[in-house]
Amino acid sequence: MTAKKRFVNVASRRHISPLVLKFLILLLILFCLVVFFGLFSQFRLQSASSFTDLGFDELRLDSYRMKVAFLFLVRDNLPLDFLWHNFFKNADPEKFTIYVHSKPGFVFDASTTKSVFFYNRQLENSVEVGWGKPTMIQAEKLLFKAALDDPDNHIFVLLSDSCVPLYNFSYIYTYLMSSPRSFVDSFIDATEERYNPEMSPDIPEEKWRKGSQWITLVRRHAEVVAYDHVVFPVFNKHCKRRPLLDLSKGNESLIEQQQHNCIPDEHYVPTLLAMQGFEDELARRTLTYSLWNQSTETMDTQAWHPVTFSYATASQKNIQDIKDIDHVYFKSENRTEWCSGPCYLFARKFTRGASMRLLTNGVVGPYDPNTLFLDRI
């Protein structure tokens, strides 16, 4: 006997009216449909998750309009705007957004940039930024906050005014969207005593991390950075750069060298994410290449500093050498980060001459000098 017949027989024995009986049968059918579609939706979500884990994120890209937010942290103008113009010109405008933090009052318009992509993209609430000061972190947080206002922004890339892309937009977009992880250079450095004991217990020493300032975050982690109101005040109070050695000041400068030395932008994001328990969600490396060189001058106040690429050193061979890097070794942790594909999508520090060489070599896409700035968005 079927379930429906058994239900009807029971109902008849209890003298249920036909109208009530039909109503109960309808409820039973609706209940079955709800259960069926619930199980079906769960199956689809699990299937989509499995495809993502396997790297088939094209399914996700076809289903949603997901944008990459390019966040430029600059002194005033963008000296490499011509290169970035060609990069964005060959892109789908529905797949990216641009935000620029410059000095207060600076406006990007026809008088300050040749690229229409940067017109009026400056933040209205920018702050005066000093190298090695907490204001650098403050500027980063403002950029993330502004970009988070657009719900379609899913990836957030922090760049400087000397950064260049090493590939065209399509390649970089696919690379970024195909990874569920943020790219944050993060490691334990026991060689430098930058941790200030006065930060404890708000910032535990075991969570103290160091890394490159140039990060790429997924939306979840960008929200953590933008809306943190606990860790940043501690950095603002206890993480400050020691004044540079100035022999003209005599003993006063020597005394200053005894102060605790801390570079906020090299520690804030990796430490914050470590404290929040997100390290397992990170690719603990940066996507922005820097070539570091140690000064041979014993009195050089900066010691390690990034090499600046000129026209001569931005050769196709040197650029290809950067693209061929497939792993990053962290000596302090004896850890190797292997990359599925190239390790770097961007590089710094590049002069205008070096950037022009990348442009003419077609690194960021097809280049026609006669129409470079004739395009409009």
Side-chain angles (χ1 to χ4, degrees):
M1 182 181 293
T2 65
K4 182 177 180 181
K5 287 182 178 180
R6 288 197 300 269
F7 182 81
V8 172
N9 288 340
V10 173
S12 62
R13 289 198 298 269
R14 296 186 179 182
H15 306 291
I16 299 177
S17 68
L19 184 60
V20 174
L21 180 60
K22 289 180 180 180
F23 178 72
L24 292 174
I25 293 174
L26 180 60
L27 285 179
L28 180 61
I29 294 173
L30 289 174
F31 175 76
C32 293
L33 288 174
V34 170
V35 172
F36 171 77
F37 283 111
L39 292 173
F40 180 71
S41 298
Q42 185 176 4
F43 171 76
R44 288 188 63 188
L45 286 173
Q46 290 175 344
S47 298
S49 177
S50 298
F51 278 120
T52 300
D53 292 340
L54 291 172
F56 296 104
D57 280 30
E58 289 79 3
L59 297 175
R60 184 177 59 168
L61 301 185
D62 292 338
S63 301
Y64 304 97
R65 177 61 66 187
M66 303 177 73
K67 297 179 182 179
V68 176
F70 291 87
L71 315 179
F72 291 89
L73 182 55
V74 306
R75 296 176 180 84
D76 39 57
N77 66 345
L78 267 164
L80 309 184
D81 57 355
F82 60 92
L83 179 67
W84 285 103
H85 181 92
N86 204 65
F87 175 79
F88 291 124
K89 156 180 113 161
N90 293 295
D92 180 349
E94 295 297 319
K95 290 185 176 181
F96 70 89
T97 52
I98 298 172
Y99 303 84
V100 184
H101 184 286
S102 184
K103 64 184 180 182
F106 192 92
V107 177
F108 283 84
D109 55 26
S111 66
T112 56
T113 178
K114 291 183 178 180
S115 174
V116 293
F117 290 107
F118 295 101
Y119 282 7
N120 298 313
R121 300 313 303 157
Q122 73 280 349
L123 302 189
E124 299 298 331
N125 58 341
S126 63
V127 296
E128 197 70 45
V129 174
W131 180 81
K133 296 183 178 181
T135 50
M136 185 76 77
I137 302 175
Q138 188 178 355
E140 293 177 14
K141 290 168 68 69
L142 289 172
L143 280 168
F144 284 112
K145 279 184 180 179
L148 284 166
D149 286 341
D150 186 340
D152 290 336
N153 286 334
H154 282 70
I155 305 294
F156 304 77
V157 183
L158 185 63
L159 300 160
S160 76
D161 53 10
S162 67
C163 284
V164 299
L166 297 175
Y167 299 89
N168 61 34
F169 179 88
S170 177
Y171 185 93
I172 289 178
Y173 180 85
T174 302
Y175 187 112
L176 294 175
M177 290 298 178
S178 295
S179 173
R181 297 178 178 273
S182 292
F183 293 87
V184 179
D185 196 34
S186 177
F187 57 93
I188 300 172
D189 188 359
T191 62
E192 295 182 282
E193 297 180 356
R194 289 189 178 179
Y195 177 78
N196 189 337
E198 295 185 19
M199 294 178 175
S200 179
D202 299 291
I203 301 177
E205 186 172 6
E206 63 269 19
K207 297 296 183 181
W208 184 251
R209 300 288 185 271
K210 182 182 178 182
S212 169
Q213 174 185 5
W214 312 111
I215 56 179
T216 299
L217 302 181
V218 299
R219 189 174 184 91
R220 168 182 168 131
H221 300 148
E223 290 172 342
V224 172
V225 173
Y227 303 121
D228 161 53
H229 300 293
V230 176
V231 176
F232 175 66
V234 180
F235 265 80
N236 192 40
K237 184 177 181 180
H238 296 297
C239 183
K240 297 179 180 179
R241 177 178 62 89
R242 179 191 300 147
L244 298 177
L245 179 64
D246 184 357
L247 296 180
S248 64
K249 295 170 64 176
N251 289 336
E252 180 183 350
S253 183
L254 293 176
I255 294 174
E256 288 178 340
Q257 297 308 298
Q258 306 303 314
Q259 297 178 15
H260 190 271
N261 188 42
C262 181
I263 311 298
D265 53 85
E266 293 184 358
H267 297 277
Y268 174 67
V269 173
T271 298
L272 173 63
L273 295 179
M275 289 178 59
Q276 295 292 332
F278 289 137
E279 283 192 307
D280 289 341
E281 300 178 14
L282 309 178
R284 293 171 61 195
R285 58 183 178 86
T286 180
L287 291 177
T288 301
Y289 175 82
S290 297
L291 178 61
W292 292 88
N293 182 36
Q294 189 171 25
S295 173
T296 57
E297 299 293 331
T298 56
M299 296 303 293
D300 191 328
T301 58
Q302 299 200 30
W304 286 91
H305 53 85
V307 172
T308 298
F309 285 85
S310 64
Y311 182 91
T313 55
S315 64
Q316 286 182 306
K317 180 185 181 304
N318 287 342
I319 298 303
Q320 190 58 50
D321 286 344
I322 298 174
K323 291 183 174 184
D324 288 341
I325 297 173
D326 61 2
H327 70 279
V328 182
Y329 178 67
F330 294 88
K331 183 177 180 181
S332 63
E333 297 181 348
N334 191 27
R335 170 173 60 91
T336 300
E337 284 281 334
W338 290 93
C339 313
S340 55
C343 287
Y344 300 107
L345 300 182
F346 310 96
R348 60 185 294 267
K349 302 173 64 173
F350 277 64
T351 63
R352 289 176 61 86
S355 301
M356 182 57 71
R357 189 167 186 178
L358 296 187
L359 182 66
T360 55
N361 286 340
V363 171
V364 301
Y367 164 64
D368 182 352
N370 298 314
T371 62
L372 176 59
F373 289 114
L374 297 181
D375 305 271
R376 291 293 183 266
I377 53 175

